[in-house]
Amino acid sequence: MKDCLPRFTLRVSQVLLDKIGYIADFEGRTKNKEIEQLIKKRIAEFETQHGIINLSETQDK
């Protein structure tokens, strides 16, 4: 089953990748899902400080 999610290549040190893998295993997630959770958390923090990101406004620039 093919998904329609965009792909993004992330270059990161092996140490960081291994550590995120450790955390992901501990939490019962894949590395991909662990990184996704971190991204969601960071976006929520940013929007709490600076307001909701309106993508339609940023795409018009």
Side-chain angles (χ1 to χ4, degrees):
M1 185 170 130
K2 185 175 176 171
D3 64 51
C4 60
L5 295 173
R7 303 288 193 261
F8 180 81
T9 301
L10 176 66
R11 292 183 300 244
V12 62
S13 74
Q14 189 63 53
V15 171
L16 290 179
L17 187 60
D18 292 345
K19 287 184 177 187
I20 204 69
Y22 181 91
I23 295 167
D25 286 343
F26 184 86
E27 298 292 340
R29 297 184 183 113
T30 63
K31 286 183 247 186
N32 190 75
K33 285 296 180 184
E34 186 63 32
I35 293 168
E36 185 178 347
Q37 290 301 312
L38 292 168
I39 292 169
K40 287 178 180 180
K41 181 180 177 185
R42 178 62 183 121
I43 290 169
E45 291 170 356
F46 182 92
E47 289 183 332
T48 297
Q49 274 190 314
H50 302 284
I52 301 297
I53 299 168
N54 184 339
L55 295 178
S56 63
E57 288 178 2
T58 59
Q59 292 170 352
D60 291 340
K61 292 181 180 179

